[in-house]
Amino acid sequence: TIRRETAAAMRRLYRAGGVVVATGALPVATAEGGRGDEFLADVLQEVLGGTDLEESDGDGAVGTDYPDSDAATLVAENAAGGVGLAVGSIPERAGDLLGQYVQRDVRHDVDGLYHTHRSVGDRDVYLLLNTEERAREATVRLRGEKRPHRWDALSGDVEPIQEYAHESGDTRLDLSFEPYEFHVVVLEPPTSDPRALETMVDEVTTAEQSTVG
């Protein structure tokens, strides 16, 4: 059971070009209209491709359009770019599907690396935490082609990260983590300041522009 305002918010998100993901069993009633509420049926019809509220089996399969097999199903799309996804009783499918329809803020190549992202004006602030009891290296891709800086949360020091690359709308950089260490990386609007494109040393701390000739 859900409230009608929750169902209405789903539809507004879908119509605005957002992504709606349904996991587990779909609701069969609203708090206001009870079981078989036509308002809820209309929302599910539009956002998730159509279901019969009376056929919910309680295990994530509703009617014939809701996926109950290992293959997740895209059940609805609209002209605004909205997508309705149903992943049945296996919520792990959601992560794979979201990667196809949503550009992730953070992508990396290791497990156990947690992150959070906040926007502050024209800056994007990322906290990246190594949750394992071992040192590790990680290649991280942050959304947006900007200039990365490392902020030291303890000392307040700010230093530019000299080695990075812009690839397909992302900023790619390599980070080293000690056990349980975290980094605060801030993406700022790009500048014309020099940076290291390639190096043979372990770390580049500064880059200066010079004229040859």
Side-chain angles (χ1 to χ4, degrees):
T1 300
I2 64 172
R3 299 185 63 84
R4 282 182 177 176
E5 63 185 59
T6 302
M10 290 170 47
R11 181 160 60 186
R12 287 196 301 271
L13 175 62
Y14 175 73
R15 288 179 175 179
V19 178
V20 176
V21 180
T23 64
L26 291 179
V28 297
T30 65
E32 299 85 355
R35 189 176 183 89
D37 188 337
E38 291 186 3
F39 177 83
L40 177 60
D42 289 343
V43 171
L44 296 180
Q45 171 69 38
E46 179 178 349
V47 177
L48 294 174
T51 60
D52 184 341
L53 299 184
E54 299 302 323
E55 294 183 17
S56 174
D57 66 2
D59 190 32
V62 181
T64 59
D65 296 322
Y66 201 76
D68 54 7
S69 66
D70 290 338
T73 302
L74 168 67
V75 291
E77 282 186 285
N78 65 24
V83 178
L85 303 173
V87 296
S89 58
I90 306 178
E92 290 78 8
R93 298 170 179 164
D96 295 334
L97 274 175
L98 283 174
Q100 299 177 33
Y101 298 99
V102 177
Q103 184 181 6
R104 295 176 181 268
D105 290 350
V106 180
R107 291 177 293 146
H108 50 75
D109 59 353
V110 296
D111 295 327
L113 185 63
Y114 287 17
H115 65 269
T116 185
H117 171 214
R118 295 291 184 272
S119 295
V120 182
D122 57 3
R123 294 182 173 131
D124 290 286
V125 182
Y126 296 88
L127 186 146
L128 302 137
L129 170 66
N130 176 21
T131 63
E132 297 193 0
E133 193 177 2
R134 61 189 177 98
R136 55 227 298 249
E137 307 287 328
T139 297
V140 179
R141 290 172 172 80
L142 308 177
R143 186 171 65 177
E145 295 188 353
K146 296 184 177 181
R147 184 72 185 263
H149 292 73
R150 183 181 288 107
W151 288 17
D152 190 317
L154 299 179
S155 68
D157 292 339
V158 177
E159 62 178 13
I161 297 175
Q162 300 294 349
E163 297 179 73
Y164 66 94
H166 289 154
E167 296 178 349
S168 302
D170 294 332
T171 297
R172 177 181 58 79
L173 57 153
D174 297 321
L175 297 174
S176 299
F177 293 87
E178 293 300 320
Y180 303 118
E181 183 182 22
F182 71 87
H183 293 301
V184 177
V185 177
V186 179
L187 296 188
E188 301 193 0
T191 68
S192 58
D193 294 341
R195 64 185 177 93
L197 296 177
E198 186 175 351
T199 179
M200 294 184 293
V201 299
D202 293 336
E203 182 179 7
V204 177
T205 58
T206 58
E208 298 180 358
Q209 185 172 357
S210 63
T211 302
V212 179

